[in-house]
Amino acid sequence: MTAARTGRTPCINPRCRRTFDAAKYGSGEMICGKCFRSLPQPIRDNHRRLWRHLQKWRRAEARTTDEFKRSRVASIVDAYSSQINLHWDQVLRPAIVTPERPVGLDGFLAEVGL
C-alpha cells in the first residue's frame, strides 16, 4: 500500500519511511524531525528564522482590526510565505533528496573512479 492510499503523507526524504496523518497535518510535502536535524546547521537556522517570522506576522494579522494595517501585514505575510516556499524548493528539498557525498573512503573512491 502506498502512503496516499492509507491517508498518510510520507517524509520528503526518499530513504526515510516515516509518514504523517494527512487528516491532521495536510497532504502537502513534509519532513520528519530526524531528517530535518540531519540537515546542515545553516539550512536549519535559516528555515527556522523564516518560519518564526512568518508565524509572528500571522499572529499580528489575526490581532489587527484596522483594515489598512491588516492589508500591510497581509503583504508581509505573503512575502515571508513566498520566501519560505522558495527556501523549501531551492535549498531544503534538494539537500534532502540529493545529499552531498560524505567525506570519507567511499567518497574518495567514487571521486578517483574506483
Side-chain angles (χ1 to χ4, degrees), residues 29-72:
E29 290 184 326
M30 294 193 67
I31 185 170
C32 69
K34 185 177 180 182
C35 294
F36 185 76
R37 286 187 298 275
S38 72
L39 289 169
Q41 190 69 37
I43 293 175
R44 288 186 292 169
D45 290 344
N46 194 21
H47 189 75
R48 284 182 179 135
R49 181 186 59 81
L50 290 171
W51 185 253
R52 276 194 311 269
H53 285 291
L54 177 63
Q55 294 302 331
K56 176 181 77 173
W57 285 103
R58 281 183 177 167
R59 286 190 304 270
E61 184 180 28
R63 297 192 298 266
T64 305
T65 56
D66 183 24
E67 288 303 316
F68 179 70
K69 285 183 181 179
R70 185 183 298 265
S71 66
R72 291 191 50 151

Side-chain angles (χ1 to χ4, degrees), residues 101-102 104-114:
R101 300 215 39 112
L105 184 59
D106 292 334
F108 174 73
L109 292 176
E111 191 176 301
V112 173
L114 296 176

